[in-house]
């Protein structure tokens, strides 16, 4: 059944209503669609003698290729006549200057057919690339490097678009490095058709390299000196496009500003200095958000978030988070202090509560912490922390209370080709921490954990995903180690086919009590089946264990992936291949794995 609607907008409201007038014309509309479909039937254009890029370029250039069977005969003949010049133009663009061809055009009652048999001849080769740089860029190492790369084009087949790219690369480098007054004094491509050779000559005068002049920042919420700490540019630095881009990124990622506008006023430059005006519009001081979700590991989830973005003009800010679920609930608050380089360094103090009630244990944790964060230029993020915690837990039929002072460190690097739908990238995280038994800590231990996820293109259009988690703990006695620092396996981000934290060493009563070591591995293949949907096939194996008890558990299954506008949604059906509490598991989660 076909339903047609009108869209009405009045007083800011949007509504839909059925149109009886259009319903009376449904038959005519369908008839028109069928006629249009016939009219758009493509004619047959046959190109022989050439293949690959020359053939593609000919088809792209031919006006005849845009016509259909419904086009009038006079128009087809007109475009067929001008096909000679278009073929010549298309072949010259890819280096064939001495081509010959035969052509034919036939008509029948239903359509028409054109055929072109092309003998392309020898392709023209670039004999030499002459590049001469003058002005202040003459001694610029980046220009010298680019010149050497472009000269290496000599000996390659001629393509006109490559010649244009040469010019654009020189101009782009000049813009990046601040030679904004530069121009070509000579740019030519000479072709010798008799010798099938070409010579490229590019003479570029860069002029004077400009510098950043006065940098003005327009905003009224934060201390101007604090905002300037985000700027990688200063007055007197050489003008640089990439540095302006870094400035924009640093201010946008700071979390303080809703809009960032950077205006280098080249027309107002004086004595080689370009003034820069930065206009910032601040985000609201307070931010509140709530959410509902579901995760098969922890069940339904209710979350809340609060941010005070400007406790003072020096950029101090506060975050508070609350997550409630039947299995795991957390509440935390953190006071953050940007340091001398606020784009990469910060210090925070915080407090948090955590309650867990799994099939393996119950735990209540209270923690005070201090964290020093630093982001390295190579993409690694480092966190050095000191946590003071109290934990009351029950596992394996026994209850304990521990107090720990734990210095720890974490290093993280994540790289992907797409934030919402990555097909290539990796995520690596390494954590190390421990405590020493004393008047402050209840137990001595040292623990390390390395986690890695790697995505790469697989067969055809698919993606291969591998994952590994390796952890080890030195502790004595183990029963004094709280559940927060014990290793478990099972769940959507571990060994699928088993419930959340179902796997690990068991005590005499058969209860899972966690282990000193962890080893889990996963291999998964995702294959797109629709524009925003993929199917997945996976196998996971591993377990948590003690040094004398290594029993790997394996799960296999199928999954569905929906790449929504806000991130991927994963649904997995997995079965255990070893002894388990259930015959299958359904795992559901959202968010990118990188």
């Amino acid at each position: 059944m076909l339903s047609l609607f009108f869209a009405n907008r009045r007083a800011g409201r949007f509504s839909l209503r059925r149109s009886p007038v259009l319903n009376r014309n449904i038959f005519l509309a369908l008839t028109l669609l069928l006629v249009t479909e016939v009219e758009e039937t493509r004619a047959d254009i046959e190109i022989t003698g050439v293949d690959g890029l020359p053939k593609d370029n000919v088809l792209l250039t031919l006006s005849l290729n845009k016509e259909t069977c419904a086009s009038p005969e006079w128009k087809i003949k007109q475009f067929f006549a001008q096909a000679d010049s278009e073929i010549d133009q298309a072949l010259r663009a890819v280096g064939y200057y001495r081509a010959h061809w035969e052509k034919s055009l036939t008509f029948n009652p239903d359509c028409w057919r054109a055929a072109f048999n092309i003998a392309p001849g020898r392709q023209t080769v670039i004999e030499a690339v002459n590049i001469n740089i003058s002005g202040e860029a003459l001694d610029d190492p980046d220009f010298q490097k680019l010149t050497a790369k472009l000269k290496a084009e000599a000996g390659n087949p001629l393509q006109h678009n490559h010649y244009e790219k040469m010019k654009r690369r020189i101009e782009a480098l000049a813009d990046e490095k601040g030679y904004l007054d530069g121009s070509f004094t000579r740019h030519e491509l000479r072709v010798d058709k008799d010798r099938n050779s070409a010579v490229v000559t590019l003479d570029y005068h860069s002029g004077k390299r400009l510098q950043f002049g006065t940098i003005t920042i327009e905003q009224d919420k934060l201390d101007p000196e604090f905002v300037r700490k985000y700027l990688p540019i200063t007055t007197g630095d050489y003008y640089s496009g990439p540095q302006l881009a870094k400035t924009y990124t640093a201010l946008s990622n700071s979390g303080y500003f809703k809009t960032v506008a950077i205006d280098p006023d080249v027309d107002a430059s004086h004595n080689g200095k370009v003034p820069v005006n930065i206009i910032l519009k601040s985000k609201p001081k307070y931010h509140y958000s709530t959410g509902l979700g579901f995760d098969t590991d922890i069940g339904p989830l209710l979350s809340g978030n609060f941010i005070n973005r400007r406790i003072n003009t020096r950029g101090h800010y506060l975050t508070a988070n609350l997550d409630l679920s039947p299995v795991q609930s957390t509440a935390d608050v953190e006071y953050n202090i940007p340091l001398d380089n606020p784009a990469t360094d910060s210090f925070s103090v915080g407090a948090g509560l955590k309650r867990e009630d799994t099939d393996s244990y119950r735990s209540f944790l209270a923690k005070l912490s201090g964290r020093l964060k630093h982001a390295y230029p190579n993409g690694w993020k480092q966190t050095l922390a000191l946590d003071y915690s109290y934990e009351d837990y029950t596992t394996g039929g026994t209850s304990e209370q521990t107090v720990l002072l734990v210095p720890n460190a974490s290093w993280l690097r994540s790289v992907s080709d797409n934030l919402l739908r990555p097909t290539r990238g990796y995520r690596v995280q390494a954590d190390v921490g421990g405590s020493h038994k004393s008047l402050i800590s209840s137990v001595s231990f040292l623990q390390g954990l390395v986690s890695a996820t790697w995505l790469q293109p697989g067969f055809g259009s698919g993606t291969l995903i591998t994952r590994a988690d390796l952890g080890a703990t030195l502790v004595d006695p183990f029963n004094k180690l709280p559940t927060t620092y014990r290793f478990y396996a099972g769940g959507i981000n571990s060994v699928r086919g088993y419930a959340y934290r179902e796997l690990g060493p068991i005590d005499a009563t058969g209860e899972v009590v966690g282990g000193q070591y962890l080893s889990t591995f996963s291999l998964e293949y995702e294959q797109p089946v629709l524009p925003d949907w993929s199917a997945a096939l996976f196998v996971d194996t591993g377990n948590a264990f003690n040094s004398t008890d290594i029993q790997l558990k394996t799960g296999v299954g199928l999954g569905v992936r929906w790449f929504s506008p806000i991130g991927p949604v994963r649904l997995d059906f997995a079965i255990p291949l070893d002894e388990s509490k259930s015959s299958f598991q359904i795992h559901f989660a959202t968010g990118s794995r990188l």
Side-chain angles (χ1 to χ4, degrees), residues 369-402:
S369 62
R371 304 190 182 283
L372 181 64
K373 300 176 183 178
H374 175 70
Y376 290 95
N378 59 9
W380 281 96
K381 297 179 180 179
Q382 173 185 272
T383 301
L384 304 178
L386 183 64
D387 297 329
Y388 183 61
S389 64
Y390 164 80
E391 186 166 352
D392 185 346
Y393 61 95
T394 300
T395 183
T398 63
S399 298
E400 295 283 350
Q401 296 83 38
T402 60

Side-chain angles (χ1 to χ4, degrees), residues 83 110 136 224 255 482 587:
D110 296 325
E136 290 190 4
H587 301 284

Side-chain angles (χ1 to χ4, degrees), residues 117-287:
N117 184 19
I118 301 172
R122 287 174 53 194
Q123 188 175 14
T124 301
V125 174
I126 300 175
E127 182 179 305
V129 178
N130 302 317
I131 299 178
N132 302 297
I133 305 297
S134 59
E136 290 190 4
L138 175 62
D139 299 319
D140 190 310
D142 290 327
F143 267 88
Q144 293 173 350
K145 190 180 300 183
L146 177 60
T147 298
K149 285 184 179 179
L150 297 182
K151 288 184 177 180
E153 292 282 337
N156 291 337
L158 172 64
Q159 293 186 31
H160 284 215
N161 66 326
H162 288 184
Y163 165 69
E164 296 297 331
K165 285 180 181 179
M166 289 182 186
K167 294 194 295 181
R168 289 197 297 269
R169 290 180 67 179
I170 292 173
E171 291 173 330
L173 181 58
D175 288 342
E176 289 180 7
K177 299 295 297 283
Y179 302 100
L180 303 184
D181 296 329
S183 62
F184 285 102
T185 58
R186 183 185 179 191
H187 54 92
E188 63 181 23
L189 172 62
R190 288 183 173 271
V191 177
D192 187 334
K193 292 190 290 185
D194 294 332
R195 298 177 57 242
N196 291 304
S197 65
V199 175
V200 175
T201 302
L202 299 173
D203 294 344
Y204 188 81
H205 181 69
S206 67
K208 185 178 181 180
R209 189 177 184 184
L210 303 183
Q211 297 174 310
F212 289 118
T214 302
I215 301 173
T216 304
I217 302 176
E218 297 182 20
Q219 63 87 34
D220 58 1
K221 301 297 185 182
L222 296 169
D223 187 326
E225 291 306 312
F226 169 71
V227 177
R228 285 187 179 274
K229 290 181 178 180
Y230 281 96
L231 307 187
I233 61 173
T234 59
T235 299
D237 290 347
Y238 283 120
Y239 185 97
S240 168
Q243 287 299 97
L244 287 176
K246 288 182 181 179
T247 301
Y248 178 86
T249 300
L251 291 170
S252 297
N253 293 343
S254 68
Y256 300 108
F257 308 111
K258 181 164 59 175
T259 61
V260 177
I262 301 177
D263 179 24
D265 195 348
V266 178
D267 294 335
S269 60
H270 181 66
N271 292 330
K273 295 186 181 295
V274 180
V276 179
N277 188 34
I278 301 175
I279 303 173
L280 306 172
K281 186 174 182 180
S282 298
K283 291 181 178 179
K285 181 176 181 178
Y286 301 111
H287 170 78

Side-chain angles (χ1 to χ4, degrees), residues 53-95:
L53 181 60
K55 180 178 180 179
D56 293 341
N57 214 40
V58 168
L59 288 172
L60 185 65
T61 307
L62 279 176
S63 300
L64 202 60
N65 195 38
K66 301 177 180 64
E67 299 304 312
T68 67
C69 291
S71 300
E73 183 174 326
W74 65 264
K75 192 175 184 181
I76 300 302
K77 289 181 177 180
Q78 177 182 324
F79 285 149
F80 182 73
Q82 72 182 48
D84 292 324
S85 61
E86 291 175 341
I87 293 174
D88 185 54
Q89 175 189 349
L91 294 176
R92 283 172 178 260
V94 292

Side-chain angles (χ1 to χ4, degrees), residues 419-422 562-564 566-570 589-593:
L419 292 178
L420 293 180
R421 191 172 182 175
W562 175 42
F563 297 95
S564 74
I566 59 173
V569 177
R570 292 182 286 156
T590 61
S592 172
R593 283 177 277 197

